[in-house]
Amino acid sequence: MWDRMARMQIRRLTEDDLPACGRLALSRDWGAESRKWRFLLEVGEAYGIDAPDGDGLAATNIVTLYGDDHAVISMVLTAERYGRQGMGRALMEHVLARAGERTVSLHATAYGRPLYERTGFRAVATVVTHKGMFTGQASGRTHKADDIEAVVAFDAARFGADRSAVLRRMPGFHEQVRVAERDGRMTGFGGAWRNDGTLMIGPVVADDQATARDLIADLAAGSTLPVRLDLDDSRPDLVDWAVERGVPHFFTTSAMVRGGALPGDQSKLFAPTMQALG
């Protein structure tokens, strides 16, 4: 009993843990994603369990709280040698307690999905990750964002929860932040950022799919890096559009939710901000 309890000592992770987070990720065939880890350590609450053998971290989990209504779980990892010993479950229960009454969402691989189902999550959508060299042309119908507070306000009305702490960091973290307008009114925004040699597109929030395509094209066009897009397969026209422009299917995950319905208008949300694979 004492040995099992010792293995379950959960602690808050800090920037000093970044090297250990990267090593754990690489050991599970993820990228090191040091910029992503650093960002999430700043905006979220990262927790981990130290490996009982003294070699780095045995498990990690990050929860990002969006106001009082929504929380997102990411970076759910357990070292292979500590699999099926309850560490992942212990961390999940810990972050769910931190989330409280909020609706909680995550993206799940097939490997992680059984754990999430046991802790009350249900699958609500299939997310198809696309990756490749974008061959399309820029639309020329968007421009660089110069007012991040306008972006925050636009997002709040559509996302339905307060993620201003994340969005206000976009100008310093993202390679580009672009907005679309019509008749002087904002109709969408999007961002692109670098992650281990890939240009990640997200968030993309728009009032219609045509605007989302313009934003994606303007963010991706001319990139010398492979582009990654995470798209809901309920939008086949957008999925086909990405494939036709050199960004084919790469892998599939499940979007999962625990609690009530997600806040906001999901039809306006075309790509996540930092949603990670579970």
Side-chain angles (χ1 to χ4, degrees):
M1 174 65 74
W2 171 254
D3 180 63
R4 184 174 184 278
M5 292 301 293
R7 291 167 180 259
M8 297 298 176
Q9 294 302 308
I10 295 170
R11 67 175 179 87
R12 184 78 176 261
L13 302 180
T14 71
E15 190 173 304
D16 292 340
D17 293 299
L18 280 170
C21 292
R23 289 196 302 274
L24 176 58
L26 287 170
S27 77
R28 299 315 309 256
D29 297 323
W30 285 20
E33 298 188 303
S34 57
R35 290 190 72 232
K36 184 176 182 179
W37 280 101
R38 188 182 300 276
F39 185 92
L40 288 169
L41 283 168
E42 290 176 0
V43 301
E45 297 182 14
Y47 297 94
I49 298 173
D50 291 311
D53 62 9
D55 185 13
L57 290 165
T60 60
N61 197 322
I62 297 180
V63 60
T64 304
L65 307 178
Y66 292 142
D68 296 327
D69 302 307
H70 190 190
V72 173
I73 287 175
S74 58
M75 311 313 259
V76 181
L77 282 166
T78 300
E80 187 171 8
R81 65 191 186 279
Y82 293 114
R84 302 187 183 281
Q85 296 186 30
M87 294 185 182
R89 177 69 179 255
L91 276 171
M92 181 60 70
E93 291 176 348
H94 184 81
V95 298
L96 288 175
R98 293 291 303 134
E101 298 301 312
R102 296 172 179 85
T103 297
V104 184
S105 65
L106 52 77
H107 284 185
T109 63
Y111 178 81
R113 182 167 167 168
L115 166 64
Y116 307 137
E117 290 175 336
R118 288 194 297 272
T119 49
F121 285 87
R122 64 190 186 280
V124 296
T126 298
V127 178
V128 182
T129 293
H130 297 249
K131 187 175 179 181
M133 299 302 299
F134 187 81
T135 59
Q137 300 296 312
S139 78
R141 289 186 286 271
T142 72
H143 59 87
K144 291 183 179 180
D146 57 9
D147 184 357
I148 199 65
E149 292 306 317
V151 168
V152 169
F154 181 89
D155 182 76
R158 290 150 182 84
F159 187 74
D162 179 11
R163 57 176 178 176
S164 58
V166 171
L167 298 178
R168 289 189 177 109
R169 287 173 166 82
M170 286 179 67
F173 182 81
H174 284 65
E175 301 289 310
Q176 294 187 68
V177 182
R178 302 190 71 86
V179 298
E181 294 179 340
R182 186 180 302 122
D183 300 325
R185 179 180 63 85
M186 188 182 299
T187 57
F189 74 92
W193 53 283
R194 290 176 182 248
N195 185 42
D196 284 358
T198 300
L199 186 70
M200 311 285 286
I201 305 296
V204 176
V205 180
D207 285 341
D208 54 70
Q209 188 164 290
T211 301
R213 288 198 302 266
D214 286 347
L215 287 161
I216 293 168
D218 289 351
L219 290 164
S223 174
T224 59
L225 300 175
V227 167
R228 171 171 163 172
L229 284 165
D230 293 343
L231 302 175
D232 191 322
D233 76 346
S234 67
R235 295 184 171 114
D237 291 346
L238 185 58
V239 168
D240 290 345
W241 176 88
V243 172
E244 290 166 2
R245 283 154 183 79
V247 191
H249 298 179
F250 189 49
F251 59 84
T252 300
T253 56
S254 298
M256 304 190 75
V257 173
R258 182 180 188 267
L262 287 168
D265 185 349
Q266 298 301 302
S267 72
K268 311 294 187 186
L269 310 180
F270 290 87
T273 306
M274 299 293 290
Q275 189 76 282
L277 305 179

